[in-house]
C-alpha cells in the first residue's frame, strides 16, 4: 500500500503517523517463495527534521512459513520488524510528471524525496516495499523446527523425526577402504 507524504514535506518538524495494512501475501526472493501466515499493520511515523532530512520509524510483525534447515518441515517463524532511518530529501534528477506536479503545487523551494530509495516514488511511500527490505535484513540465519531436530536420511530422504528409516547408518572411514577390501576378499576365499 502506498501513502502520500506530501503533508510531511510541507514544513519543518511536521510529524505524521499511520497504521498501514500490509498487502503482501508471500515473501519472494532468491531462496524461494515463503507464504505470509499472519501480519500486523505497519505502524509508521515520518518526521520532517528540516535541513533536507526525513526520519522514518516503524514496526510490524510478520509470520512466515520457512522450511526447517534440517528436515524441510514448514515452520511458522515470527519476525518482529523495527526500523529507524534518516533519509536525505532532494529533487529528482529525472523530473517525472508526478514530481513536477508536486513542485508546481508546493512551490519553488519545496524539497522532494531522494530518488535512490527503493520504497519512495515521487511523494508516495510504498509500505510493502519498505517492509520487504526490512524482512530481507531480518531474515533468520537458521530455521529449525526444534533444537533436537534429527533432519533427513542422507540415503533415502526420510524425515528422521518420525522414526528410523531402516537404512544402514554405519559410516565407514573412506581412508580405510583398502583394508576393508582386503578383509572382504579374505572372507570370500574362506
Amino acid at each position: 500500500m502506498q501513502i502520500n507524504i506530501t503533508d510531511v514535506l510541507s514544513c519543518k518538524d511536521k510529524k505524521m503517523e499511520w497504521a498501514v495494512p500490509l498487502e503482501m501475501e508471500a515473501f519472494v526472493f532468491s531462496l524461494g517463495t515463503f507464504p505470509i501466515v499472519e501480519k500486523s499493520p505497519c505502524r509508521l511515523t515520518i518526521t520532517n527534521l528540516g535541513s533536507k532530512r526525513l526520519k522514518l520509524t516503524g514496526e510490524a510483525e510478520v509470520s512466515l512459513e520457512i522450511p526447517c534447515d534440517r528436515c524441510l518441515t514448514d515452520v511458522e517463524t515470527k519476525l518482529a520488524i523495527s526500523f529507524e532511518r534518516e533519509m536525505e530529501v532532494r529533487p529528482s534528477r529525472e523530473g517525472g510528471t508526478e514530481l513536477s506536479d508536486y513542485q508546481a503545487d508546493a512551490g519553488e523551494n519545496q524539497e522532494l524525496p531522494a530518488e535512490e530509495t527503493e520504497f519512495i516514488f515521487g511523494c508516495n511511500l510504498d509500505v510493502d516495499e519498505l517492509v520487504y527490505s526490512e524482512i530481507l535484513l531480518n531474515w533468520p540465519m537458521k530455521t529449525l523446527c526444534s533444537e533436537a531436530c534429527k533432519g533427513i536420511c542422507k540415503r533415502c530422504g526420510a524425515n528422521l523425526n518420525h522414526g528410523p528409516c531402516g537404512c544402514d547408518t554405519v559410516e565407514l572411514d573412506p581412508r580405510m577402504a583398502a583394508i576393508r577390501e582386503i578383509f572382504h576378499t579374505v572372507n570370500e576365499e574362506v
Side-chain angles (χ1 to χ4, degrees), residues 52-63:
K52 301 182 179 184
R53 306 287 299 164
L54 283 180
K55 183 177 182 180
L56 190 72
T57 58
E59 57 186 33
E61 288 184 357
V62 179
S63 293

Side-chain angles (χ1 to χ4, degrees), residues 145-163:
C145 60
S146 73
E147 288 296 322
C149 179
K150 297 177 182 175
I152 58 175
C153 176
K154 295 177 185 178
R155 294 181 187 214
C156 69
N159 188 339
L160 297 176
N161 294 318
H162 301 299

